[in-house]
């Protein structure tokens, strides 16, 4: 395969060199991996006769987009981690998120199993099916939810399902999920897929992960906002305003916790910007 | 029921008063609960015409015995906790203990389940039956092994058992145990009894617990010895001498790690005293 011939600014022609493009992106302060990824993607669209200016413009546009997405992803992740110290539990956030995905949700339910009663963190219902979700929230970004967790969640849902069968109940829990803001170990994934529990993690499964659901629904916790202090966020959470869209639909909630009119509009602006990501 | 009439030292008679006996035991520095327990037990054997001297002698004899047992129990428990930092793992200790109970043992075995491979900490075989034991060692005395642990151990053994069934294997693991040096929560006990895994804890089940097995077999780790320093214990453990009875049957092992002749005999004496508890 021959390289496309491109037009330089001085009117000369030369074969397209992906290394030069990568280097240029790198010089803008981008990390090596992202620079290479973007250069490769844009490089693949280069055709004979394109000008270097046009190619570089395309590349920088793609880079900025990538960086915005990765910055938003990062702050989203941080916002979920920040739920920890706020007193706004992960359970309520996941319930709100799944509600926005069309599920009826309830949390902190006790269900009788075959051997023992179980606390089910979140129960989600849709299309006549009931899902029980065990939630694992971790404050440490590098933490991976492991095989032992998958095993105990599996055993819990067997006990629940067999308990319902013993009692010949029709409306039990049909499916067990393990939901977490972390990654999973490969053994946890292998066991869960084989034994029949569903995993929902920060970026697993691909395309239908927690972060995908957040982007899809626009359900962001207010911990993501940078225009509010931690103390203000805590006051807002205590008043029951937990999500960005609640701030947008009820801006007076900010006034009620003593935020100045000027700052109120900044917060609302930021909420709008984030929910439209 | 009338109280027995006893003879006092001065020749007078009076009805037996259990409170006086309890108070006397308490004055010797015994805690309230033990004083009451011993007074009640000895008090129940008091008959008309017994002298106060005889009764008090019996009571103090019973008390000393109780205190020795509880001291030995305490140091046994401490000795197991001390395994933690020595590099002599709990696995090996439990394997040695169960070996003394007549089991063939092996540890660190990988077993193929239905969904995934499992590390089985200790496999124990006796009378054609194979037991797989999951071991939980904790350094914190107040720690209780909980329901989640029981659930994951149960799921692990189902996966192992179903894997063997799938492959129509005859020689699989027939029983799953959860062995720990801690207590269990009541939910862990309830679930395990109902779902079919066996629990073996420091003092559970009553009469067939880890501490009962230790007393029964005389298999004590050398961490129980007070005549050796921690550094000497570590050297001894590294040389493969892990149990008190090994010190008794091979006193030269002490010489080999550089312990003086005089101290050697002290250590052997202590080992004998403990193994005959």
């Amino acid at each position: 395969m021959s390289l496309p011939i491109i037009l330089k600014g001085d009117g000369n022609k030369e074969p397209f060199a992906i290394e030069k493009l990568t280097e240029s992106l790198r010089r803008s302060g981008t990390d090596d991996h992202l620079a290479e990824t973007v250069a490769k993607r844009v490089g693949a669209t280069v055709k004979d006769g394109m000008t270097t200016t046009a190619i570089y413009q395309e590349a920088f546009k793609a880079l900025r987009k990538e960086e915005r997405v990765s910055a938003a992803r990062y702050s989203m992740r941080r916002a979920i981690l920040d739920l920890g110290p706020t007193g706004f539990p992960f359970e309520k956030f996941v319930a709100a998120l799944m509600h926005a995905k069309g599920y009826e949700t309830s949390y902190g339910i006790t269900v009788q199993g075959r051997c023992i009663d179980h606390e089910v963190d979140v129960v989600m219902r849709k299309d006549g099916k009931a899902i029980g979700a065990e939630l694992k929230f971790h404050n440490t970004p590098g933490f991976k939810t492991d095989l032992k967790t998958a095993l105990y969640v599996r055993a819990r849902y067997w006990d629940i399902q067999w308990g319902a069968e013993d009692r010949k109940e029709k409306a039990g829990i049909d499916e067990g999920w393990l939901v977490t803001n972390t990654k999973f170990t490969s053994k946890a994934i292998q066991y869960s897929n084989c034994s029949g529990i569903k995993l929902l993690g920060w970026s697993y499964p691909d395309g239908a992960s927690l972060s995908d659901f957040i982007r899809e629904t626009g359900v962001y916790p207010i911990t993501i906002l940078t225009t509010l202090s931690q103390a203000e966020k805590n006051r807002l959470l205590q008043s029951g305003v937990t999500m960005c869209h609640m701030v947008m639909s009820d801006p007076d909630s900010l006034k009620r916790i003593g935020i100045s009119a000027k700052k109120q509009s900044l917060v609302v602006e930021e909420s709008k910007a984030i929910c439209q990501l």
Side-chain angles (χ1 to χ4, degrees), chain A residues 75-138:
Chain A
S75 67
M76 224 162 64
R77 183 152 201 177
R78 189 69 254 169
I80 303 295
L81 289 173
D82 283 347
L83 290 180
T86 62
F88 175 58
F90 188 53
E91 279 82 353
K92 288 194 183 178
F93 173 67
V94 170
L97 186 63
M98 298 312 288
H99 182 76
K101 291 277 295 173
Y103 290 87
E104 269 180 58
T105 59
S106 45
Y107 42 83
I109 306 290
T110 301
V111 178
Q112 213 184 326
R114 169 178 283 177
C115 289
I116 205 154
D117 289 346
H118 300 270
E119 279 278 335
V120 177
D121 293 332
V122 179
V123 176
M124 309 181 281
R125 293 173 197 281
K126 193 176 173 179
D127 306 331
K129 196 168 77 173
I131 296 161
E134 180 93 9
L135 266 55
K136 298 301 272 182
F137 175 79
H138 283 280

Side-chain angles (χ1 to χ4, degrees), chain A residues 164-185:
Chain A
E165 279 172 32
D166 291 349
R167 296 187 301 276
K168 303 200 178 4
E169 285 172 8
K170 290 225 177 76
I173 302 271
D174 307 293
E175 218 176 289
W177 288 21
L178 166 52
V179 181
T180 176
N181 63 323
T182 74
K183 292 172 193 275
F184 298 100
T185 65

Side-chain angles (χ1 to χ4, degrees), chain A residues 23-32 60 63 67:
Chain A
E23 186 47 36
S24 159
L25 291 170
R26 219 181 256 140
R27 274 199 303 271
S28 78
T30 308
D31 73 71
D32 290 8
F60 278 97
L63 180 64
E67 280 175 337

